[in-house]
Amino acid sequence: MASKDPLTNLNNRLTLEVDIETLIKGFYSHQCPFAIALIDIDFFKRINDEYGHLAGDHVLKEFAEILQSQGRNTDKVYRVGGEEFVLLLNRVPCERTEEMMLELIDKTRSHQFNFEGQQFTVTISMGLYHTDLFPVANLRDLFFVTDKALYESKANGRDRLTLATRM
């Protein structure tokens, strides 16, 4: 249970770091490409403020289902904090990864969240790193470039994907 988020039943940060280390080792020893997407629900505080924390919890659970439905069986989904999620994609080309993440953004934007008679939509911002972009040596650097890309998405208007750039 310690490795699962109790609200969404997704993996949590405890397993994320171990899984990423495994992917990094696989990349350097066997050239197995991978990607990490850091995803944040835009203006999540507004949902809690306008509709209540139960509505916010509902959005988190339903968004977790959207994430799981978009991924492949080999992909892993994590809730790493409040409204922040990580998607790990193993052995998928960079171009296809980018297409998949743009599809996820579109699917989330068009999804109607329903809670106790209230209907609303949400958008997501995303930072994406893929091994085809440039190599990273360790977990710390990987989180740094992916987090930086996420914040660029937010700074540039949210509801978008930004690819990671070198440090």
Side-chain angles (χ1 to χ4, degrees):
M1 288 302 289
S3 64
K4 295 285 185 183
D5 172 62
L7 180 66
T8 63
N9 203 36
L10 295 177
N11 296 316
N12 65 24
R13 191 171 201 112
L14 293 175
T15 57
L16 173 64
E17 292 182 9
V18 172
D19 291 345
I20 290 175
E21 290 288 355
T22 301
L23 290 176
I24 291 172
K25 287 176 186 169
F27 174 72
Y28 282 105
S29 61
H30 304 293
Q31 299 340 116
C32 296
F34 72 89
I36 177 173
L38 185 56
I39 306 161
D40 192 81
I41 298 174
D42 296 327
F43 303 111
F44 185 74
K45 183 180 180 324
R46 190 181 308 165
I47 295 167
N48 281 335
D49 291 348
E50 288 183 28
Y51 302 101
H53 288 277
L54 291 177
D57 286 351
H58 176 77
V59 167
L60 293 171
K61 288 190 270 190
E62 204 163 316
F63 180 65
E65 291 171 11
I66 292 170
L67 276 171
Q68 290 176 308
S69 72
Q70 283 292 105
R72 305 164 305 152
N73 289 340
T74 57
D75 300 333
K76 294 185 177 182
V77 184
Y78 307 79
R79 180 173 175 216
V80 294
E83 69 275 8
E84 202 166 74
F85 297 82
V86 168
L87 183 57
L88 289 183
L89 301 103
N90 194 13
R91 297 178 186 257
V92 60
C94 187
E95 185 176 294
R96 179 63 189 129
T97 302
E98 192 172 353
E99 290 169 2
M100 291 168 66
M101 296 306 97
L102 291 171
E103 290 169 10
L104 175 60
I105 289 170
D106 288 342
K107 185 173 185 173
T108 304
R109 182 187 311 120
S110 63
H111 183 80
Q112 285 292 316
F113 290 85
N114 297 296
F115 181 74
E116 295 183 350
Q118 304 271 355
Q119 283 194 334
F120 47 94
T121 59
V122 300
T123 60
I124 57 174
S125 296
M126 189 181 311
L128 178 66
Y129 167 80
H130 193 284
T131 52
D132 288 352
L133 298 172
F134 55 90
V136 293
N138 57 53
L139 184 68
R140 184 185 61 80
D141 292 348
L142 180 62
F143 278 128
F144 178 83
V145 298
T146 308
D147 196 48
K148 183 177 153 208
L150 171 63
Y151 280 94
E152 284 181 41
S153 287
K154 291 173 165 291
N156 290 321
R158 294 176 162 50
D159 190 27
R160 68 187 64 235
L161 167 70
T162 301
L163 296 179
T165 56
R166 291 184 190 268
M167 294 191 294

